[in-house]
Amino acid sequence: MVSEAKKQLPIRPGYFELPSSPGEETRLVGALCRPCSEYFFPARSVCLRCGREGLEPVALSSRGKVWTFTVVHMPPPGSLVTAPYVVAVVELPEGPLVPTVLTGCDPSAVRIGMEAEMYVEKVGEDENGNQLMAYKFKAA
Amino acid sequence: MARKEVAILGVGLHKFGRFPEKKVEELGREAGLMALKDAGVDYRDIQIGFCAHVQQAVGTGLRTFGELGMTGIPVTNVEVACASASRGVVLAAELIAAGVYDLALVIGVEKMQRGMIDASRGAERTYEDLLGLMPMPGVYAYKAQRHMHLYGTKREHFAQVSVISHNNGALNPYAQYQTPIALEEVLNSRMIADPITLYQCSPTTDGASAVVVCSKEKARQYATKPVLLVGWAMGTPQYIPGDPSTSNQLLSEGNTPELARRAYEAAGVGPSDIGVVQVHDAFSPGVIFNAEDLGFCPKGEGGTFVWEGNTEINGKIPINTDGGLESRGHPIGATGGAMIAELYWQVKGQAGPRQVKDARVALLQNVGLGGENVMVFTM
């Protein structure tokens, strides 16, 4: 039996685009209502400002500032994370507030306003051995 | 046609706690019978029912009301997470104000598992679930950290809410927890999501509440001076362009300042007229945020407002005089009705050791993952 090459897949679709060719970066996917100049994350179908459909998928910035955070000591049911871990809401230059796990910083040192950079990491495997990927932000 | 005025004719509660031997409809029956007796109303005169619950089985409304009788009236289950029972009362009020019905019964019930609530109901785990982005105190923890950053609010301020709640709960025979807790105990209890410790979280609880809602005209057949529901507003979070926090489920559950504004306007009162309050304190910071959003103190000053004793029973603006969600307990579907019961007793001067001095006008703010209700009562 010929085994298929193992792939990297987003653990859930729609939040980010993995690179399709080498040298490309993973980018968060938002939705842009061009007439409103309003960006949304996660991407949505209907503009909250003007109500029109057919918003454009856009690649969002990968760097932002911590808008708020908390240190979680009891993970919610069904989660893949181990406590304690930091969750943050990162504000991107385009406007959206992105909820994320925050790494690369001692939990006691996290500060609102600090910079953070998006990356992707394997958080699991599917039954075919493909790597399931999630976006996270690292303190920068 | 002019809108009719709405009265609250009676309330009832089943004690909040753990009742593994009782079926959920039995809890509801006890609360329902107490409310009907308080109102002096025969179940057979009730024209419409609402059953508020979040985690119970299909058919719970049918079975709960079935305990009281089978008169063929419409009974509808209402679910707005923690705001279910107050939403049931608001919906009944809307129908009564419109002249469609005269007499309604709203029963809130819940039996819960211990430990963290799993809201997914067996649906596939979302991205947010898998990455643990929404811990139990979610919105409250995120907002608390920001409140500390923007306004210098301290952990002690949030913890003090729990101290006051448990002092009040000790005066409430229906409360799940009737023992005071010291500030240090609250601060040193297990951290859940910083800054929220275990004793700053409302518990899981079994319990039931019931409210008889009536037109003011019809209420005169039963009571010389009924408690009146004089203003209300209901809603969901509202997107404000340029403020992405308003469209984010992790950061916003309602639109408290706007709903309060509408309820105050409908009732013809303002924050300075309010003598007693029930706010949603699923987690301690709720009292601080809502004291600000309901207009009792300036934005950012909620921490010191609570710390200085203003929200205690003998304070300037008593909040959660019966222990609130934290101490009274939080059977999700029943909580809104328990809030109404306490305010009803306060307005009537029947709150015993919890009675505040001036309870002429009472305010309720009840919110969950799904919506929010603000209500004004007087007599």
Side-chain angles (χ1 to χ4, degrees):
Chain A
M1 188 180 80
V2 177
S3 67
E4 277 187 23
K6 300 303 170 208
K7 294 182 290 208
Q8 287 191 339
L9 303 170
I11 192 166
R12 286 290 181 270
Y15 292 83
F16 56 90
E17 279 290 321
L18 290 166
S20 45
S21 50
E24 261 188 34
E25 299 261 297
T26 301
R27 301 292 293 274
L28 291 174
V29 174
L32 167 62
C33 177
R34 208 167 270 285
C36 289
S37 304
E38 194 98 342
Y39 291 83
F40 300 99
F41 179 88
R44 48 180 297 121
S45 307
V46 176
C47 179
L48 288 175
R49 192 184 199 130
C50 72
R52 70 178 264 277
E53 293 174 69
L55 306 189
E56 292 170 40
V58 284
L60 295 174
S61 302
S62 296
R63 198 176 168 102
K65 290 189 152 77
V66 169
W67 191 83
T68 192
F69 71 100
T70 183
V71 183
V72 183
H73 292 253
M74 275 189 77
S79 62
L80 304 170
V81 288
T82 47
Y85 64 96
V86 181
V87 286
V89 177
V90 173
E91 183 176 24
L92 298 181
E94 296 92 333
L97 296 176
V98 178
T100 180
V101 169
L102 186 69
T103 61
C105 182
D106 194 275
S108 61
V110 178
R111 294 289 177 270
I112 290 175
M114 69 192 289
E115 302 238 331
E117 184 100 36
M118 192 272 290
Y119 68 103
V120 286
E121 190 167 77
K122 174 183 161 184
V123 291
E125 265 186 25
D126 69 10
E127 61 275 10
N128 300 316
N130 296 309
Q131 298 189 331
L132 298 175
M133 311 298 284
Y135 75 82
K136 296 182 180 179
F137 275 74
K138 189 194 321 247
Chain B
M1 187 190 76
R3 278 171 65 89
K4 294 193 171 193
E5 291 181 76
V6 179
I8 306 295
L9 207 46
V11 298
L13 293 179
H14 183 292
K15 187 177 181 304
F16 285 8
R18 304 251 177 238
F19 305 97
E21 73 288 357
K22 284 186 175 180
K23 291 195 236 173
V24 72
E25 50 264 36
E26 292 175 57
L27 307 179
R29 179 189 70 224
E30 202 171 300
L33 288 173
M34 182 174 159
L36 289 167
K37 188 164 167 196
D38 182 36
V41 166
D42 193 308
Y43 179 72
R44 285 164 294 181
D45 294 329
I46 298 291
Q47 298 165 336
I48 182 166
F50 290 96
C51 185
H53 66 86
V54 178
Q55 297 184 321
Q56 307 310 305
V58 172
T60 293
L62 182 68
R63 284 189 293 278
T64 300
F65 277 76
E67 290 283 319
L68 300 173
M70 290 186 70
T71 55
I73 59 168
V75 173
T76 306
N77 296 287
V78 179
E79 186 269 297
V80 188
C82 318
S84 298
S86 59
R87 180 59 56 85
V89 174
V90 169
L91 291 175
E94 291 282 6
L95 287 168
I96 289 168
V100 184
Y101 293 97
D102 282 322
L103 195 52
L105 177 61
V106 180
I107 304 181
V109 296
E110 210 76 59
K111 276 197 72 167
M112 300 179 71
Q113 302 291 334
R114 286 179 190 273
M116 275 200 286
I117 293 167
D118 185 354
S120 72
R121 295 208 247 224
E124 192 193 49
R125 297 286 178 199
T126 61
Y127 188 88
E128 290 75 13
D129 292 337
L130 293 168
L131 274 290
L133 302 183
M134 184 55 146
M136 195 69 244
V139 174
Y140 293 78
Y142 284 130
K143 283 175 72 168
Q145 285 288 347
R146 202 153 160 86
H147 210 268
M148 290 163 75
H149 172 78
L150 292 173
Y151 309 118
T153 307
K154 300 202 180 328
R155 284 182 167 73
E156 287 77 7
H157 297 158
F158 296 127
Q160 181 65 7
V161 168
S162 182
V163 172
I164 297 169
S165 293
H166 284 86
N167 285 342
N168 293 348
L171 303 172
N172 179 3
Y174 292 99
Q176 183 173 8
Y177 297 115
Q178 299 180 26
T179 312
I181 318 183
L183 184 69
E184 286 310 307
E185 275 186 84
V186 178
L187 287 166
N188 294 332
S189 63
R190 182 177 180 180
M191 182 64 75
I192 307 297
D194 194 56
I196 299 176
T197 60
L198 181 65
Y199 291 163
Q200 297 182 60
C201 300
S202 53
T204 54
T205 315
D206 302 336
S209 61
V211 182
V212 178
V213 194
C214 191
S215 65
K216 183 176 163 190
E217 274 174 64
K218 191 156 184 86
R220 298 241 191 261
Q221 292 171 27
Y222 298 95
T224 37
K225 207 175 176 210
V227 173
L228 300 175
L229 172 58
V230 288
W232 63 83
M234 50 177 168
T236 43
Q238 184 172 355
Y239 179 65
I240 297 169
D243 185 355
S245 72
T246 56
S247 65
N248 193 319
Q249 179 184 302
L250 302 184
L251 300 172
S252 170
E253 281 188 330
N255 189 356
T256 308
E258 173 59 18
L259 295 180
R261 189 191 64 73
R262 286 190 223 156
Y264 283 137
E265 191 175 300
V269 300
S272 58
D273 297 305
I274 306 298
V276 62
V277 188
Q278 281 279 325
V279 303
H280 201 79
D281 62 328
F283 304 91
S284 290
V287 172
I288 287 174
F289 303 151
N290 292 313
E292 296 173 0
D293 288 347
L294 295 170
F296 301 127
C297 66
K299 187 109 183 112
E301 294 185 19
T304 39
F305 190 72
V306 166
W307 186 254
E308 289 170 356
N310 291 295
T311 63
E312 299 185 33
I313 284 175
N314 54 9
K316 205 166 99 163
I317 186 76
I319 296 181
N320 296 354
T321 51
D322 61 344
L325 274 63
E326 288 182 321
S327 175
R328 176 182 68 222
H330 185 32
I332 314 176
T335 275
M339 291 181 157
I340 293 171
E342 177 66 1
L343 293 180
Y344 168 94
W345 286 322
Q346 288 283 354
V347 168
K348 291 189 79 159
Q350 293 174 351
R354 306 183 308 280
Q355 185 65 50
V356 312
K357 251 207 311 224
D358 175 10
R360 273 169 303 156
V361 188
L363 181 79
L364 173 152
Q365 177 267 346
N366 185 203
V367 64
L369 184 66
E372 182 170 15
N373 308 302
V374 178
M375 304 165 81
V376 182
F377 304 87
T378 189
M379 198 155 79

